Coordinates of all heavy atoms in Angstrom, one line a residue:
F116 N 6.7 -3.9 1.2 CA 7.1 -5.0 0.2 C 6.7 -4.6 -1.2 O 7.5 -4.7 -2.1 CB 6.5 -6.3 0.7 CG 6.9 -7.5 -0.1 CD1 8.1 -8.2 0.3 CD2 6.2 -7.9 -1.2 CE1 8.5 -9.3 -0.5 CE2 6.6 -9.0 -1.9 CZ 7.7 -9.7 -1.6
A119 N 8.4 -1.5 -2.8 CA 9.8 -1.9 -3.2 C 9.7 -2.6 -4.6 O 10.6 -2.4 -5.4 CB 10.5 -2.7 -2.2
A120 N 8.7 -3.5 -4.7 CA 8.5 -4.2 -6.0 C 8.3 -3.2 -7.1 O 8.9 -3.3 -8.2 CB 7.4 -5.2 -5.9
V121 N 7.4 -2.2 -6.9 CA 7.1 -1.2 -7.9 C 8.3 -0.4 -8.2 O 8.6 -0.1 -9.3 CB 5.9 -0.3 -7.4 CG1 5.7 0.8 -8.4 CG2 4.6 -1.2 -7.3
G122 N 9.0 0.0 -7.1 CA 10.2 0.8 -7.3 C 11.3 0.1 -8.1 O 12.0 0.7 -8.9
F123 N 11.4 -1.2 -7.8 CA 12.3 -2.0 -8.6 C 12.0 -2.0 -10.1 O 12.9 -1.9 -10.9 CB 12.3 -3.5 -8.1 CG 13.7 -4.0 -7.6 CD1 13.9 -4.1 -6.3 CD2 14.6 -4.3 -8.5 CE1 15.2 -4.5 -5.9 CE2 15.9 -4.7 -8.1 CZ 16.2 -4.8 -6.8
S124 N 10.7 -2.2 -10.3 CA 10.2 -2.2 -11.7 C 10.6 -0.9 -12.4 O 11.1 -0.9 -13.6 CB 8.7 -2.5 -11.8 OG 8.4 -3.7 -11.3
V126 N 12.9 1.4 -11.7 CA 14.3 1.6 -11.9 C 14.8 0.6 -13.0 O 15.6 1.0 -13.8 CB 15.1 1.5 -10.6 CG1 16.6 1.6 -10.8 CG2 14.6 2.5 -9.6
D127 N 14.4 -0.6 -12.9 CA 14.9 -1.6 -13.8 C 14.4 -1.3 -15.2 O 15.2 -1.6 -16.2 CB 14.4 -3.0 -13.4 CG 15.1 -4.1 -14.1 OD1 16.3 -4.0 -14.3 OD2 14.5 -5.1 -14.6
N130 N 16.6 1.3 -16.4 CA 18.0 0.8 -16.6 C 18.1 0.0 -17.9 O 19.2 0.0 -18.5 CB 18.3 -0.1 -15.4 CG 19.8 -0.4 -15.3 OD1 20.6 0.4 -15.6 ND2 20.1 -1.6 -14.8
R131 N 17.0 -0.7 -18.3 CA 17.1 -1.6 -19.4 C 16.7 -0.9 -20.7 O 16.8 -1.5 -21.8 CB 16.3 -2.8 -19.2 CG 16.7 -3.7 -18.0 CD 15.8 -4.8 -17.7 NE 15.7 -5.8 -18.8 CZ 14.9 -6.8 -18.7 NH1 14.1 -7.0 -17.7 NH2 14.9 -7.7 -19.7
L139 N 23.0 0.6 -14.5 CA 23.1 0.6 -13.1 C 23.3 -0.8 -12.6 O 22.8 -1.8 -13.1 CB 21.8 1.2 -12.5 CG 21.4 2.6 -13.0 CD1 20.1 3.0 -12.3 CD2 22.5 3.6 -12.6
S140 N 24.1 -0.9 -11.6 CA 24.4 -2.2 -11.0 C 23.2 -2.8 -10.2 O 22.3 -2.0 -9.8 CB 25.6 -2.2 -10.0 OG 25.2 -1.4 -8.9
P141 N 23.1 -4.1 -10.0 CA 22.0 -4.6 -9.3 C 21.9 -4.0 -7.9 O 20.7 -3.8 -7.4 CB 22.3 -6.1 -9.2 CG 23.1 -6.4 -10.4 CD 23.9 -5.1 -10.6
L142 N 23.0 -3.7 -7.2 CA 23.0 -3.1 -5.9 C 22.3 -1.7 -5.9 O 21.5 -1.3 -5.1 CB 24.4 -3.0 -5.3 CG 24.5 -2.4 -3.9 CD1 23.7 -3.1 -2.9 CD2 26.0 -2.3 -3.5
Y143 N 22.7 -0.9 -7.0 CA 22.2 0.4 -7.1 C 20.7 0.4 -7.4 O 19.9 1.2 -6.8 CB 22.9 1.1 -8.3 CG 22.7 2.6 -8.3 CD1 23.6 3.5 -7.7 CD2 21.5 3.2 -8.8 CE1 23.4 4.8 -7.7 CE2 21.3 4.6 -8.8 CZ 22.3 5.4 -8.2 OH 22.1 6.7 -8.2
V144 N 20.2 -0.6 -8.2 CA 18.8 -0.7 -8.4 C 18.1 -1.1 -7.1 O 17.0 -0.6 -6.9 CB 18.5 -1.8 -9.5 CG1 17.0 -2.0 -9.7 CG2 19.2 -1.4 -10.8
A145 N 18.7 -2.0 -6.3 CA 18.1 -2.4 -5.1 C 18.0 -1.2 -4.1 O 16.9 -1.0 -3.4 CB 18.9 -3.5 -4.4
I146 N 19.0 -0.4 -4.1 CA 19.0 0.8 -3.2 C 17.9 1.8 -3.7 O 17.2 2.3 -2.9 CB 20.4 1.5 -3.2 CG1 21.4 0.6 -2.5 CG2 20.3 2.8 -2.4 CD1 22.8 1.1 -2.5
G147 N 17.8 1.9 -5.0 CA 16.7 2.8 -5.5 C 15.3 2.3 -5.2 O 14.5 3.1 -4.8
A148 N 15.1 1.0 -5.3 CA 13.8 0.5 -4.9 C 13.5 0.6 -3.4 O 12.4 1.0 -3.0 CB 13.8 -1.0 -5.3
F149 N 14.5 0.4 -2.6 CA 14.4 0.6 -1.2 C 14.0 2.0 -0.8 O 13.1 2.3 0.0 CB 15.7 0.2 -0.4 CG 15.7 0.5 1.0 CD1 15.0 -0.3 1.9 CD2 16.3 1.7 1.5 CE1 15.0 0.0 3.3 CE2 16.3 2.0 2.8 CZ 15.7 1.2 3.7
G235 N 9.6 -4.6 5.1 CA 9.0 -5.1 3.8 C 9.9 -4.6 2.7 O 10.1 -5.4 1.7
A236 N 10.4 -3.4 2.8 CA 11.3 -2.9 1.7 C 12.6 -3.6 1.6 O 13.1 -3.9 0.5 CB 11.5 -1.4 1.9
V237 N 13.2 -3.9 2.7 CA 14.4 -4.7 2.7 C 14.3 -6.1 2.2 O 15.1 -6.5 1.3 CB 15.0 -4.7 4.2 CG1 16.2 -5.7 4.2 CG2 15.5 -3.4 4.6
V238 N 13.2 -6.7 2.6 CA 13.0 -8.1 2.1 C 12.9 -8.1 0.6 O 13.6 -8.9 -0.1 CB 11.7 -8.7 2.7 CG1 11.3 -10.0 2.0 CG2 11.9 -8.9 4.2
F239 N 12.1 -7.2 0.0 CA 12.0 -7.3 -1.5 C 13.2 -6.8 -2.2 O 13.5 -7.2 -3.3 CB 10.7 -6.6 -2.0 CG 10.5 -6.9 -3.5 CD1 9.7 -8.0 -3.8 CD2 11.0 -6.2 -4.5 CE1 9.5 -8.4 -5.1 CE2 10.8 -6.5 -5.8 CZ 10.0 -7.6 -6.1
S240 N 13.9 -5.8 -1.6 CA 15.1 -5.3 -2.2 C 16.1 -6.4 -2.3 O 16.9 -6.5 -3.3 CB 15.6 -4.1 -1.4 OG 14.7 -3.0 -1.4
V241 N 16.2 -7.2 -1.3 CA 17.2 -8.4 -1.4 C 16.7 -9.3 -2.4 O 17.6 -9.8 -3.3 CB 17.2 -9.1 0.0 CG1 18.1 -10.4 -0.1 CG2 17.9 -8.2 1.1
I242 N 15.4 -9.7 -2.5 CA 14.9 -10.6 -3.5 C 15.2 -10.0 -4.9 O 15.6 -10.7 -5.8 CB 13.4 -10.8 -3.3 CG1 13.2 -11.6 -2.0 CG2 12.8 -11.6 -4.5 CD1 11.7 -11.7 -1.6
G243 N 14.9 -8.7 -5.0 CA 15.1 -8.0 -6.3 C 16.5 -7.9 -6.8 O 16.8 -8.0 -7.9
F244 N 17.4 -7.8 -5.8 CA 18.8 -7.7 -6.1 C 19.3 -9.0 -6.8 O 20.0 -8.9 -7.8 CB 19.6 -7.5 -4.8 CG 21.1 -7.7 -5.0 CD1 21.9 -6.7 -5.5 CD2 21.7 -8.9 -4.6 CE1 23.3 -6.9 -5.7 CE2 23.1 -9.1 -4.7 CZ 23.9 -8.1 -5.3
F245 N 18.9 -10.1 -6.3 CA 19.3 -11.4 -6.9 C 18.6 -11.6 -8.2 O 19.1 -12.3 -9.1 CB 19.1 -12.6 -5.9 CG 20.1 -12.6 -4.8 CD1 19.6 -12.2 -3.5 CD2 21.4 -12.9 -4.9 CE1 20.5 -12.1 -2.4 CE2 22.3 -12.9 -3.9 CZ 21.9 -12.5 -2.6
Y246 N 17.3 -11.1 -8.3 CA 16.6 -11.2 -9.5 C 17.3 -10.5 -10.6 O 17.5 -11.0 -11.8 CB 15.2 -10.7 -9.3 CG 14.4 -10.5 -10.6 CD1 13.7 -11.6 -11.2 CD2 14.2 -9.3 -11.2 CE1 13.0 -11.5 -12.3 CE2 13.5 -9.1 -12.4 CZ 12.9 -10.3 -12.9 OH 12.2 -10.1 -14.1
V247 N 17.7 -9.2 -10.4 CA 18.4 -8.4 -11.4 C 19.8 -9.0 -11.7 O 20.2 -9.0 -12.8 CB 18.5 -7.0 -10.9 CG1 19.3 -6.1 -11.9 CG2 17.1 -6.3 -10.8
K248 N 20.5 -9.4 -10.6 CA 21.8 -10.0 -10.8 C 21.8 -11.2 -11.7 O 22.7 -11.5 -12.5 CB 22.4 -10.3 -9.5 CG 23.9 -10.7 -9.5 CD 24.5 -10.9 -8.1 CE 25.9 -11.1 -8.2 NZ 26.6 -11.3 -6.9
G249 N 20.7 -12.0 -11.6 CA 20.5 -13.2 -12.4 C 19.8 -12.9 -13.7 O 19.4 -13.8 -14.4
R250 N 19.6 -11.6 -14.0 CA 18.9 -11.1 -15.1 C 17.6 -11.8 -15.4 O 17.3 -12.4 -16.4 CB 19.8 -11.2 -16.4 CG 19.4 -10.4 -17.6 CD 19.3 -8.9 -17.3 NE 18.0 -8.6 -16.7 CZ 17.8 -7.5 -16.0 NH1 18.8 -6.7 -15.7 NH2 16.6 -7.3 -15.5
G251 N 16.7 -11.7 -14.4 CA 15.3 -12.1 -14.6 C 15.1 -13.6 -14.4 O 14.1 -14.1 -14.8
S252 N 16.1 -14.4 -13.9 CA 15.9 -15.8 -13.8 C 15.0 -16.3 -12.7 O 14.4 -17.3 -12.7 CB 17.3 -16.5 -13.6 OG 17.9 -16.0 -12.5
G253 N 14.8 -15.4 -11.7 CA 14.0 -15.8 -10.5 C 12.5 -15.6 -10.9 O 12.1 -14.6 -11.4
K254 N 11.7 -16.6 -10.6 CA 10.3 -16.6 -10.9 C 9.5 -15.9 -9.8 O 8.4 -15.3 -10.1 CB 9.8 -18.0 -11.0 CG 10.3 -18.8 -12.3 CD 9.7 -20.2 -12.4 CE 10.3 -20.9 -13.6 NZ 9.7 -22.2 -13.7
F255 N 10.0 -15.9 -8.6 CA 9.2 -15.3 -7.5 C 9.1 -13.8 -7.6 O 8.0 -13.3 -7.5 CB 9.9 -15.7 -6.1 CG 9.2 -15.1 -4.9 CD1 8.0 -15.7 -4.4 CD2 9.6 -13.9 -4.3 CE1 7.3 -15.2 -3.4 CE2 9.0 -13.4 -3.2 CZ 7.8 -14.0 -2.7
A256 N 10.2 -13.1 -7.9 CA 10.2 -11.7 -8.0 C 9.3 -11.2 -9.2 O 8.6 -10.2 -9.1 CB 11.6 -11.2 -8.2
K257 N 9.2 -12.0 -10.2 CA 8.4 -11.6 -11.4 C 6.9 -11.5 -11.0 O 6.2 -10.7 -11.7 CB 8.5 -12.7 -12.5 CG 9.9 -12.7 -13.2 CD 9.9 -13.7 -14.3 CE 11.2 -13.8 -15.0 NZ 11.3 -14.8 -16.0
R258 N 6.5 -12.2 -10.0 CA 5.1 -12.2 -9.6 C 4.6 -10.8 -9.0 O 3.5 -10.5 -8.9 CB 4.8 -13.3 -8.6 CG 5.0 -14.7 -9.1 CD 4.8 -15.7 -8.0 NE 4.9 -17.1 -8.5 CZ 3.9 -17.8 -8.9 NH1 2.7 -17.3 -9.0 NH2 4.1 -19.0 -9.3
F259 N 5.6 -10.0 -8.7 CA 5.3 -8.7 -8.0 C 5.8 -7.5 -8.8 O 5.6 -6.4 -8.3 CB 5.9 -8.7 -6.6 CG 5.5 -9.9 -5.7 CD1 6.3 -11.0 -5.7 CD2 4.4 -9.8 -5.0 CE1 6.0 -12.1 -4.9 CE2 4.0 -10.9 -4.2 CZ 4.8 -12.0 -4.1
M260 N 6.4 -7.7 -9.9 CA 7.0 -6.6 -10.6 C 6.3 -6.2 -11.9 O 6.3 -7.0 -12.8 CB 8.5 -6.9 -10.9 CG 9.4 -7.0 -9.7 SD 11.1 -7.5 -10.1 CE 11.6 -6.1 -11.0

Side-chain angles (χ1 to χ4, degrees):
F116 184 89
V121 173
F123 237 106
S124 298
V126 178
D127 193 43
N130 195 34
R131 298 173 64 182
L139 305 179
S140 68
L142 179 60
Y143 196 97
V144 177
I146 294 174
F149 171 80
V237 167
V238 169
F239 193 88
S240 294
V241 172
I242 295 172
F244 169 80
F245 289 104
Y246 171 81
V247 174
K248 190 173 183 179
R250 195 58 276 153
S252 59
K254 294 182 179 180
F255 180 78
K257 290 180 180 179
R258 296 176 178 269
F259 304 94
M260 295 177 62

